Amino acid sequence: MKFTVSRASLWVSLSLVSGSALAVTDLPADMERIVVSGSRVVESIDEVPASVTVITKQDIQEHLKVTPELQSLLAMYVPGMGPDTGSSSNTGQTLRGRAPLVMIDGVPQSTPLRNGSLGVKTLDPSAIERIEVIKGATSIFGNGAAGGIINYITRTPRSDDGVEGDVSVSSRFSAVQPDESAGHRLEAAVNGRTQNWHYLLTASYEENGVQRDAEGDILGLQYGLSDAITQNYFAKLGYDFDADKQLQVSYNFYRSQQKTDLGDTFNGNKDLAVHVPPAEQKAGEPQGPDGNTNLMVKYTDLNIFSNTQLTLDYYDQSIENVFFFSPSLANPEGGYSGGQSVIKSEKEGLRATFNSQLSFDNIEATFIYGLDALNDVTSQPLVDGRVWVPEMDMNNVAGFVQSKWVYHEDLIIKAGVRRESISLEVDNYDTLRLCRQENQCSVPVAVTGGELDYDATTYNVAVKYQLNPAFHPFISYSQGADISDTGRLLRSATVTDIADIRTEASIIDNYEIGFTSQMSEAVRLEVAAYRSTSELGTSTRFDPTTGVYLPVRAPQEIWGYESIINYRVSPTLDLSATYSYVEGKDTQEDVYLGGRTVNPPKATLIANWRPTDTANLTLEYLYVGSRDRFNADENGAYSTDQAPVSSYNVVNVSGNYAFSSQWQGFLGVQNLLNEDYFPARAQAYTYGGYRVKGLGTTVNVGVTYQF
């Protein structure tokens, strides 16, 4: 199957834009405002062809005093990112209503072929230098970026000569009911340079106690964090051949699994965990990433030929994400009372990126071009040996050209094109017989496999005019080609030939308009509105006959707006406030999209106060609004992800004090006011096991030593 964008689309796109850069925290004046992932080379953040949020190292460190969960960090600092789910899964936490592609240094961590929504939790924040979030459909990094890109940029060696490092020890516990809640965390890093070599080593180890809500009850275990053990080891080694040429190798190991002796129960209002006899404890293997690894090799030549830089990236990745034991995966006839699935993904990729710069009269031109090659083999078997999603072997080759034209330093025009060629092979397979109840079972189907071919040409164009410091308007048009979550379509097949399954890819068109304004030295304002359409989005419908949640392919339209204001009240006090709104519809049926896709309105306020050179205090406020778009049935029940969401508020506070140049103590409190609430996903989802409350007041205290 093939799909292309007409030539007329290119001419339409030439009249449209992009180019906003939403930076939550002002960077120091002496720090260059740069991002890497926007157009795959280092450039000014003000010239990136999409709305961008940069979460700085300082932001990460301040939030890390409250919680090490990256979901919480992204929800607080990124407009358009859905609220924290309070669990290890980011299902339901979309970016502008679509799934983002999560990366580490440009290497994909998500598993688009079978999106298990576990990509956000793939690296410990202590190993991260900054986070770049590029919003809106993009084809710059290929499949899976329907909602944009979340790129974790890892730490780099700081020491000019010799060795430096830090060690941190901390403990988190519930202030509502401390019993069994105390956990401990150890993180360490060392880096250095010697002659032409530079290196970085980071390690973190954390054991959680039980997680308790505002009433002191232990949170339900589905995607839970109670008794979770998390390990992350990251290493980076580089060698400078000369001033222009560098080779860098990095390796990351990440494991985060829940090992608990608790059991789940439902008290009529919420899912919670309780102490039970061994026979009633959480069944199956520990859930979570089971030793995911990344090997990344980068070679850079700043002058491969005249005015041109070359970057070669090779990566090899292995992912094994274990899910919870579910009775919905039962088959009494086969002797199975339930089942536990594992998403396995092996990726190997090579990217060659050239960056050429030319100058004309009053014009500076940049051309970024190259080739991407990727092999992705993904499947979702069950731990007991049954095959739920057959092995999908994808080969993807793409060529691209991106250009940037800067005229008189005022007018910025960007335009690009990417040609994607994808082949996906699947062997013959049988769908599983799954029973929610003994008389509610799916019917197995023998499916003939084969090869699916996808070809796509996508375009992006952006214009930004720096009229004056108080008004920088922009407008953009960008496209993305998406074949994500094919595995869900395959496992729910009701036809006998893979060619008859609705696995068609979708072109996503993203339109955006807005402005940035440096209203004064102290105040910066940014506003953006967007609209996103897709030919074939994927939602979910429950089939009461078989008890299976079936995918629904239908055109979708998503729209919304965001705003952010940064205000430097004084040299010691900074304020940042954001607001984001997103809505979406299935345009074929003219019905709203559910909570799995569309998040409720969200507002945040962050205040950072530095009363002295040795002390710092940060206050974070999160407001999640209400959303009620669907009607209950005659029994008062809602379907799938369509239950109403009521608003709630969460306040966090953190602070640190430097006792000396080497020793620092810190304290963080999550949910300071002990708000008793269900996160947005827990309210919207009607699936079993998701009715889990948010974390109650939780305290984190620790000390850091630097050398």
Side-chain angles (χ1 to χ4, degrees):
M1 65 189 63
K2 296 189 177 184
F3 62 102
T4 59
V5 178
S6 68
R7 184 174 299 179
S9 297
L10 177 59
W11 292 109
V12 171
S13 67
L14 288 172
S15 64
L16 302 173
V17 187
S18 161
S20 157
L22 299 179
V24 169
T25 301
D26 283 339
L27 302 181
D30 60 349
M31 183 183 294
E32 187 179 4
R33 297 170 62 86
I34 60 174
V35 295
V36 177
S37 60
S39 53
R40 299 169 55 138
V41 296
V42 176
E43 64 175 340
S44 168
I45 191 174
D46 292 326
E47 297 177 357
V48 174
S51 290
V52 177
T53 295
V54 175
I55 306 177
T56 67
K57 179 66 173 177
Q58 178 184 345
D59 298 329
I60 297 171
Q61 289 300 315
E62 292 304 324
H63 195 79
L64 190 58
K65 296 179 177 68
V66 175
T67 172
E69 297 303 319
L70 285 168
Q71 282 190 24
S72 174
L73 173 71
L74 293 167
M76 188 64 66
Y77 281 84
V78 181
M81 191 76 184
D84 182 16
T85 65
S87 70
S88 62
S89 168
N90 52 285
T91 177
Q93 187 183 32
T94 58
L95 181 59
R96 287 186 172 180
R98 299 190 185 276
L101 181 68
V102 180
M103 302 188 296
I104 297 176
D105 292 333
V107 175
Q109 304 300 301
S110 305
T111 53
L113 291 178
R114 176 68 275 271
N115 187 2
S117 299
L118 294 175
V120 168
K121 191 178 173 68
T122 191
L123 180 70
D124 191 83
S126 63
I128 301 175
E129 183 74 24
R130 69 183 186 278
I131 302 173
E132 302 164 0
V133 183
I134 300 177
K135 289 166 281 186
T138 176
S139 61
I140 291 175
F141 285 93
N143 183 47
I149 296 167
I150 300 173
N151 195 12
Y152 301 143
I153 307 299
T154 58
R155 292 170 61 171
T156 56
R158 292 296 191 187
S159 177
D160 293 331
D161 189 19
V163 181
E164 67 177 25
D166 56 82
V167 179
S168 179
V169 180
S170 61
S171 178
R172 296 178 77 230
F173 56 90
S174 169
V176 182
Q177 175 57 268
D179 291 353
E180 303 179 273
S181 69
H184 57 272
R185 173 183 172 86
L186 172 66
E187 63 181 74
V190 61
N191 72 90
R193 293 180 181 269
T194 174
Q195 296 181 347
N196 293 350
W197 294 93
H198 54 87
Y199 60 89
L200 168 72
L201 300 171
T202 73
S204 64
Y205 180 87
E206 181 175 17
E207 290 191 13
N208 284 345
V210 298
Q211 310 286 288
R212 296 186 181 273
D213 63 21
E215 298 176 313
D217 293 323
I218 303 174
L219 304 185
L221 300 178
Q222 188 154 301
Y223 295 119
L225 297 172
S226 290
D227 297 331
I229 300 176
T230 301
Q231 305 169 66
N232 190 199
Y233 307 105
F234 179 80
K236 183 184 290 186
L237 178 66
Y239 181 77
D240 299 328
F241 297 99
D242 55 37
D244 292 332
K245 301 178 183 66
Q246 182 191 83
L247 180 66
Q248 180 176 281
V249 180
S250 57
Y251 179 81
N252 185 67
F253 174 91
Y254 184 82
R255 173 183 286 138
S256 181
Q257 294 194 296
Q258 186 183 58
K259 300 181 179 181
T260 184
D261 59 357
L262 300 169
D264 277 316
T265 187
F266 181 69
N267 69 358
N269 177 47
K270 63 184 178 182
D271 291 297
L272 64 154
V274 293
H275 290 284
V276 293
E280 299 175 27
Q281 292 172 6
K282 189 71 174 177
E285 297 183 3
Q287 61 181 354
D290 187 17
N292 296 347
T293 62
N294 287 277
L295 172 66
M296 297 163 276
V297 182
K298 180 187 292 289
Y299 174 76
T300 304
D301 189 334
L302 300 179
N303 193 27
I304 186 70
F305 50 83
S306 180
N307 300 316
T308 299
Q309 170 185 322
L310 166 67
T311 302
L312 293 175
D313 291 291
Y314 167 81
Y315 58 91
D316 185 275
Q317 179 196 76
S318 177
I319 287 178
E320 189 166 316
N321 290 330
V322 183
F323 289 83
F324 54 88
F325 184 90
S326 173
S328 297
L329 299 177
N331 180 1
E333 284 187 357
Y336 299 104
S337 61
Q340 187 175 19
S341 69
V342 185
I343 289 181
K344 296 183 177 182
S345 180
E346 302 285 340
K347 298 190 189 82
E348 187 174 18
L350 180 66
R351 296 195 298 254
T353 305
F354 293 87
N355 175 20
S356 298
Q357 298 182 341
L358 303 173
S359 294
F360 308 96
D361 292 339
N362 300 317
I363 297 177
E364 293 183 2
T366 301
F367 296 90
I368 304 160
Y369 49 98
L371 291 171
D372 292 346
L374 168 66
N375 175 243
D376 182 348
V377 180
T378 298
S379 62
Q380 189 178 17
L382 300 187
V383 171
D384 55 38
R386 290 178 289 167
V387 176
W388 196 13
V389 175
E391 187 173 274
M392 299 168 285
D393 190 341
M394 183 186 78
N395 286 295
N396 184 358
V397 178
F400 62 91
V401 177
Q402 300 285 331
S403 66
K404 177 175 70 177
W405 306 80
V406 181
Y407 180 71
H408 274 297
E409 299 183 353
D410 296 324
L411 180 63
I412 301 168
I413 301 175
K414 291 193 171 186
V417 60
R418 180 182 176 98
R419 177 65 177 178
E420 205 93 42
S421 179
I422 301 174
S423 67
L424 183 69
E425 293 185 3
V426 180
D427 291 336
N428 299 342
Y429 71 98
D430 296 328
T431 62
L432 280 183
R433 183 179 190 271
L434 300 177
C435 300
R436 186 171 294 272
Q437 300 176 19
E438 277 198 40
N439 59 350
Q440 190 182 42
C441 301
S442 62
V443 179
V445 177
V447 181
T448 301
E451 180 176 312
L452 303 173
D453 294 316
Y454 309 88
D455 295 322
T457 304
T458 54
Y459 304 97
N460 62 83
V461 174
V463 177
K464 183 175 185 180
Y465 184 54
Q466 303 185 65
L467 180 64
N468 55 55
F471 190 54
H472 291 182
F474 66 89
I475 183 172
S476 73
Y477 171 74
S478 61
Q479 293 182 306
D482 189 36
I483 65 165
S484 61
D485 223 350
T486 303
R488 178 189 284 191
L489 303 174
L490 298 183
R491 77 186 190 190
S492 304
T494 57
V495 295
T496 58
D497 195 312
I498 190 175
D500 297 326
I501 302 174
R502 296 207 65 187
T503 59
E504 301 100 316
S506 179
I507 289 288
I508 298 167
D509 295 292
N510 189 77
Y511 307 85
E512 187 171 5
I513 188 169
F515 68 89
T516 64
S517 175
Q518 192 70 46
M519 303 175 68
S520 68
E521 291 186 2
V523 180
R524 179 179 175 86
L525 173 67
E526 304 181 12
V527 177
Y530 58 88
R531 176 176 170 266
S532 169
T533 62
S534 58
E535 301 167 340
L536 279 177
T538 302
S539 56
T540 301
R541 174 181 59 83
F542 180 69
D543 182 354
T545 302
T546 62
V548 173
Y549 289 96
L550 298 174
V552 177
R553 304 300 308 276
Q556 294 179 346
E557 179 177 358
I558 296 173
W559 64 92
Y561 55 87
E562 302 165 3
S563 62
I564 180 170
I565 184 168
N566 297 318
Y567 178 32
R568 177 152 289 178
V569 181
S570 70
T572 61
L573 178 60
D574 295 323
L575 299 178
S576 177
T578 74
Y579 181 80
S580 54
Y581 173 88
V582 60
E583 192 53 89
K585 276 191 171 184
D586 172 336
T587 55
Q588 180 173 286
E589 301 294 333
D590 192 29
V591 295
Y592 286 100
L593 299 175
R596 186 183 183 91
T597 302
V598 176
N599 298 127
K602 186 190 72 172
T604 66
L605 174 65
I606 302 171
N608 187 270
W609 181 43
R610 302 169 297 279
T612 70
D613 292 339
T614 58
N616 185 81
L617 185 67
T618 299
L619 178 72
E620 300 175 341
Y621 168 69
L622 170 68
Y623 166 78
V624 176
S626 59
R627 184 172 187 258
D628 187 356
R629 295 296 193 186
F630 306 97
N631 296 319
D633 62 20
E634 61 274 10
N635 298 316
Y638 290 89
S639 176
T640 59
D641 58 350
Q642 299 179 354
V645 175
S646 299
S647 63
Y648 56 89
N649 306 269
V650 179
V651 177
N652 304 326
V653 64
S654 65
N656 62 274
Y657 182 78
F659 301 102
S660 67
S661 60
Q662 292 181 303
W663 288 96
Q664 181 184 102
F666 59 86
L667 175 71
V669 182
Q670 187 172 2
N671 194 0
L672 177 68
L673 304 180
N674 201 36
E675 176 91 350
D676 189 9
Y677 71 99
F678 286 98
R681 183 184 71 179
Q683 297 186 58
Y685 278 26
T686 62
Y687 313 107
Y690 284 95
R691 188 69 177 171
V692 179
K693 280 195 172 182
L695 199 64
T697 300
T698 303
V699 177
N700 183 43
V701 59
V703 62
T704 299
Y705 174 72
Q706 296 177 315
F707 59 89

